[in-house]
Amino acid sequence: MQNKKNIITILTVCYFVIAFFEVLAEYIIEKPLICSLKPTMPLLLIVIYYLDSERKNVFFILALLLSSLTNLLFIPNTPTCLFYAVLVFTLHRIISIYLIFSLQKVIDYIPVIIATSPFLLIFFYLFSETAEIPQNSFYILIAQNILISLFAGVALSSYVMNDNKQNSILLISALLFVMLQFVIFIEKYFLVNEFEQLFRPMAMTLNALAFFSFYKYVVSAEQSNNNGSA
């Protein structure tokens, strides 16, 4: 058991070392390094999760695989790759929300609706103020705005209704994902080709922290559910 914990610790350190060099590569725009490191991070997180989790939820593993594919598609920075990246990430978000509902066991949906509303207003205001949205991405981005708002709404309402460890971690993860979506939207659709050296490293920093927090939430929720069942 102690040996497994040591391996998890070492792999976690490796994850953040890779994340650091990936952020640095984004800043100096080192394409070969980006291509090798960017998809590696979710794959390493799968290994960490597989060692740390007692249940090995296939939906979380699938979500991380889709994240790895999304990271690859974001690298070329072309309209076609961007469209497919958003499409794949939409599937990732649907699976992530399904996973949260399966772990949270939400009973009262009124707090979820109330908590989701402010995020919807913010994202759709930003969406309405953006003129550079490709026609083929229009409805996918609407779906993205709804999904990230629901993700954040579930996290916020769960935290307010029951302030425990797993809900605290979920809220941290959700807020990081909200900031990540905001940064990506601004970079790709609002300030196109401007401040790229700022937005890309910022997006990768938020990406690394958000997914690691989400992994910690899934493991914490699984342990909590196991203890409740016992």
Side-chain angles (χ1 to χ4, degrees), residues 100-119:
I100 291 172
F101 276 108
S102 68
L103 292 171
Q104 288 296 105
K105 304 292 189 299
V106 177
I107 299 174
D108 188 358
Y109 288 90
I110 299 300
V112 175
I113 295 171
I114 294 172
T116 299
S117 300
F119 295 102

Side-chain angles (χ1 to χ4, degrees), residues 151-166:
F151 188 111
V154 173
L156 180 58
S157 62
S158 297
Y159 175 78
V160 171
M161 300 295 288
N162 186 10
D163 178 10
N164 57 23
K165 180 183 177 181
Q166 75 179 56

Side-chain angles (χ1 to χ4, degrees), residues 124-132 190:
F124 275 102
Y125 171 76
L126 186 63
F127 183 83
S128 66
E129 291 295 317
T130 306
E132 301 295 328
F190 203 77

